[in-house]
Structure formats: structure tokens, C-alpha cells
Amino acid sequence: MGFEVIQVAKIVFFLFFCAFLERAAYSETIKFGMVDWCPYTCDIGKEKTHGIVPEIISKVFKKYGYTTEFKIVPFGRAIINVQKGKLLHALVTATYDEAPNFVFSKESTGTYNMSVFVEPSNKWKYSGVKSLRELGKPIGVVSGYDYGDERFMKTIRNEPQLFTVITDDQPLFRLLKMLEFGRISGFAANKNVLNYSLKEVGNFSELAVNAGDIGNPVPFYTAFSPNHPKSETYTKLLDEGIRGLRKSGELKDLLDKFGLKDWKK
């Protein structure tokens, strides 16, 4: 009888412990920082969605009992806050160069390709970093961004007179305004982001045209704080979850909502 009581007690304790873990997970919120970079990451106040990457992240962590919060923050400030691991726990989208000491997911959450955009009346074409010297005014770039080309990034550091570096939680619209008012000759941006952001404008080619690609497509990842005790756990769960979404077809369903294709296919 004593043995049976002990066994029952062990089972009850195990069930209680599992229930405790489940409640603990549900009470835990992972906080993510991001810029307005729709369709990848969006200002929900304008778009009624956080964007494709937050939707992927939310779907994954919900399966494991976590809640998620997403906050629009200037990228440079987001890096600082995530580094500390207190106000924010992760960057929704980042590359290794942007946050070299962060804890990265192994599964990428998309790819991007940067281009240089200029006014429609400007016939100049981007043919490499040397061609930037032909412009009368600098081009706009965003502080902390990785533009996917080592020579381009090196030129930002070594020839700052060729660039106007901005920090903003909605950098694309600020760059467009700067171009409109003649403060810059052009700006570097992602084609998908520009297309999505200006979809309501109609013919956005009246505002800016693609003068050339900067580099090849670059994968981006979700990067967790190096100072948060659960970052390694979060990345493992995210990697496992993304693979599961791809296998089940749920990832395709999410991407279809935004008119995007699986970046690995």
C-alpha cells in the first residue's frame, strides 16, 4: 500500500509540475523590436498586421505557450535595448553584421535585396560604389542597416560625405521626403518594402525609380539578446517551429497573404 501511495504521489507531482510549466510559459511574454519595414515588419496601426515575419514568429511561439509583443523602434535604439535584454528581448529581422554578438536563429526568416532609388528624371545608374561619386548630393541610408554588399558598407564608413545617415522608426517615408525636397540624390532601400509601402500611391515610379541593385539577396534572421537567459531556448524553439510550418504548408499560407514566396524554394 505504501508503495502505491508513493507512486500515485509521484504521478500527481509530475502532472502538477507539467501544469506549472505550461502556466509559466503562457505567462511569459517575449518582446521584439523592429522597424516599419513592411511587408516583413509593419506598423500595425497603419497596416492592421505586424508583418509576415512577426506573424511567423507569433504562430511558432504560440504553439509553445508563449505570448509575443512587437514594438516599432528605430533600428539603432532597438539594437541597444535588445543588447541589454530588458526592455526588448530580440530583433525581428537582423543579419550577422548588424548584431554580431547576438544569439541568432539557424533558420532564416526571409531574404532581402537592396537597390539605389533616385528621382524619375535622374538618368544616373548605380554601377558600383565608385559611381556614387558622380552624384551631386549624398544618398540616404539608415543607421545600423546591413546593405548586403561589403564594398558598399565599407564606403559608408570610409567616405561618409557620400551618404546621409538617418535614424527613424519609419525610415523609408523620411527618405522619400528628403528626396522630394532635394536634400539627397537618392536612397538605398529594399524593393519589396518600397513596393509594399507605396502600394496605395498607385504608380510609385513617379516618386522614385530603381537605379540599380547593390548586391545579391541576403538572408536575415531573428536575433535574441546575448544577455537574456533564455535566448538559446528561444532560438531552438523558433528553428523547430519554422521547419514545422514549412513542412505542414502553414508557412506558404502565411506568405500567400503578403504575396511573397518561400525564400528557400
Side-chain angles (χ1 to χ4, degrees), residues 1-14:
M1 177 67 72
F3 176 76
E4 292 178 352
V5 171
I6 292 174
Q7 291 298 103
V8 170
K10 286 182 177 179
I11 293 172
V12 170
F13 175 78
F14 177 75

Side-chain angles (χ1 to χ4, degrees), residues 57-78:
I57 291 171
S58 293
K59 198 171 190 67
V60 167
F61 281 110
K62 186 177 181 180
K63 290 177 182 289
Y64 296 108
Y66 293 90
T67 57
T68 50
E69 287 183 6
F70 300 92
K71 184 176 182 180
I72 298 290
V73 186
F75 194 66
R77 192 190 306 165

Side-chain angles (χ1 to χ4, degrees), residues 113-120 122 124-126 132 135 138-140 147 152 172 175-176 179 184-195 198 204-205 207-214:
N113 184 225
M114 293 292 196
S115 304
V116 178
F117 292 86
V118 297
E119 287 184 310
N122 192 338
W124 173 86
K125 296 295 180 183
Y126 179 76
L132 295 175
L135 294 169
I139 70 164
Y147 284 91
F152 191 87
L172 182 57
L175 290 170
L176 280 166
L179 180 64
I184 54 177
S185 291
F187 58 88
N190 177 277
K191 290 181 285 188
N192 287 338
V193 174
L194 188 64
N195 289 342
L198 301 181
F204 76 83
S205 61
L207 301 175
V209 294
N210 190 339
D213 293 341
I214 293 174

Side-chain angles (χ1 to χ4, degrees), residues 52 55-56 59 250-258:
I52 178 58
E55 287 204 16
I56 292 171
K59 198 171 190 67
E250 292 174 274
L251 179 60
K252 181 181 182 302
D253 292 339
L254 289 173
L255 290 166
D256 286 346
K257 288 172 52 180
F258 293 86

Side-chain angles (χ1 to χ4, degrees), residues 120-230:
S121 60
N122 192 338
K123 304 305 179 185
W124 173 86
K125 296 295 180 183
Y126 179 76
S127 57
V129 291
K130 290 183 179 179
S131 65
L132 295 175
R133 299 168 188 155
E134 301 167 6
L135 294 169
K137 297 176 183 177
I139 70 164
V141 294
V142 181
S143 176
Y145 273 25
D146 179 359
Y147 284 91
D149 181 81
E150 185 177 343
R151 289 170 297 180
F152 191 87
M153 298 300 295
K154 186 176 180 180
T155 305
I156 293 176
R157 294 190 297 269
N158 296 342
E159 298 185 60
Q161 73 279 6
L162 298 177
F163 303 90
T164 294
V165 182
I166 70 164
T167 299
D168 200 284
D169 56 0
Q170 295 182 334
L172 182 57
F173 290 101
R174 183 176 171 189
L175 290 170
L176 280 166
K177 282 295 182 183
M178 292 174 72
L179 180 64
E180 180 184 355
F181 292 126
R183 293 175 57 191
I184 54 177
S185 291
F187 58 88
N190 177 277
K191 290 181 285 188
N192 287 338
V193 174
L194 188 64
N195 289 342
Y196 195 93
S197 297
L198 301 181
K199 65 183 185 299
E200 295 180 357
V201 175
N203 186 12
F204 76 83
S205 61
E206 295 177 1
L207 301 175
V209 294
N210 190 339
D213 293 341
I214 293 174
N216 296 319
V218 177
F220 54 77
Y221 304 82
T222 298
F224 292 85
S225 172
N227 293 309
H228 193 284
K230 289 192 174 182

